[in-house]
Amino acid sequence: MSTPRASTSSLRFAQFKLVLLGESAVGKSSLVNRFAKDQFDDFRESTIGAAFLTQTISLDANTTIKFEIWDTAGQERYKSLAPMYYRNANCAVVVYDITQSASLTRAKAWVKELQRQANENIIIALAGNKLDLAENREVPTEEAAAYAKEAGLLFFETSAKSGENVTELFTAIAQKLPLESAANSRPGRTNAKGIDLKAGGGDNNSQCQC
Ligand code: GTP
Ligand code: MG
């Protein structure tokens, strides 16, 4: 196991497990697809089980963060699988669709479940997706923002379609993740994971239905 030596003069690499949760069709897979591949499909198949992708971002010239992303299936019949994916997650994005107020109710239920049952240090972001459809909005920004503040969540309104706020969402999460006082570099641990690397980490995008 590597001993971390995070310092400002050296390269730092950390990896974190991220899970996406939310009602079916709110755009979880689309957000990940935009973030990891900068792509968007108007007609996307509903996820079966979960999909796994990775994406690496640079926080600054010295710091690289790799997200190991579990994109869960929102359909009710897969609900019981969710704990398998959020268990040991360092961070979560709970997604709702700004044009469907019922999807915010569902998102709140996921937040409650995460706060009760996931890692106690988990960083949770609430994403109100489909911002490009603001003319059909059912959830006012202020309502969701007030809820997010009260529940201690990061909050962004995003559009996987236009790309608005997608990088910002993942970057804000990365900035809240603990990089110093690292104990080891394995994802899924409650402790921070910053380690020094002499070489930078590269992207490793892969996807599987599992
Ligand atoms: P499940 O896999 O069933 O849980 O759904 P999901 O949350 O992964 O939704 P998905 O990404 O498959 O998107 C559902 C539909 O919404 C697709 O037709 C997408 O093209 C569309 N969609 C996703 N994000 C956006 C967005 O930001 N704007 C618009 N206009 N459509 C979107
Ligand atoms: Mg999906």
Side-chain angles (χ1 to χ4, degrees):
M1 193 177 293
S2 334
T3 304
R5 297 181 312 278
S7 81
T8 50
S9 59
S10 58
L11 296 178
R12 233 163 23 166
F13 175 82
Q15 55 188 20
F16 296 98
K17 184 176 163 189
L18 183 148
V19 64
L20 279 110
L21 295 163
E23 199 168 78
S24 183
V26 294
K28 297 178 297 298
S29 301
S30 300
L31 280 171
V32 174
N33 216 35
R34 173 61 75 192
F35 175 55
K37 299 180 185 163
D38 201 17
Q39 289 172 359
F40 177 80
D41 304 322
D42 271 308
F43 303 99
R44 183 156 255 289
E45 303 260 317
S46 194
T47 305
I48 297 165
F52 179 73
L53 294 94
T54 64
Q55 175 62 311
T56 302
I57 58 172
S58 295
L59 271 190
D60 57 47
N62 293 328
T63 312
T64 302
I65 303 284
K66 179 177 173 185
F67 283 114
E68 299 190 330
I69 303 171
W70 285 101
D71 167 26
T72 66
Q75 287 180 33
E76 200 56 29
R77 64 186 138 141
Y78 298 114
K79 188 177 178 292
S80 62
L81 299 179
M84 212 161 69
Y85 300 106
Y86 68 64
R87 190 180 307 136
N88 293 332
N90 304 103
C91 41
V93 180
V94 180
V95 186
Y96 70 96
D97 172 350
I98 65 159
T99 72
Q100 304 285 337
S101 54
S103 70
L104 178 60
T105 306
R106 186 70 194 93
K108 289 179 181 176
W110 278 122
V111 169
K112 241 188 199 163
E113 183 167 335
L114 287 172
Q115 289 178 333
R116 275 202 207 122
Q117 297 187 47
N119 173 347
E120 68 173 308
N121 299 318
I122 192 167
I123 289 161
I124 307 174
L126 179 69
N129 192 40
K130 308 200 184 179
L131 186 54
D132 58 291
L133 301 178
E135 70 273 17
N136 303 323
R137 177 190 287 278
E138 281 189 5
V139 181
T141 307
E142 303 70 35
E143 179 191 325
Y147 159 70
K149 191 172 177 197
E150 180 193 308
L153 318 174
L154 290 166
F155 173 61
F156 285 87
E157 288 189 335
T158 57
S159 170
K161 185 165 184 167
S162 72
E164 190 171 354
N165 277 340
V166 176
T167 305
E168 287 81 352
L169 164 71
F170 288 93
T171 303
I173 294 168
Q175 283 167 339
K176 282 204 88 179
L177 288 164
L179 286 174
E180 311 295 339
S181 69
N184 62 68
S185 66
R186 282 187 51 204
R189 298 290 182 90
T190 47
N191 292 333
K193 286 145 216 79
I195 56 166
D196 278 356
L197 277 193
K198 295 302 168 210
D203 277 10
N204 175 26
N205 284 329
S206 58
Q207 187 161 17
C208 65
Q209 297 285 336
C210 15

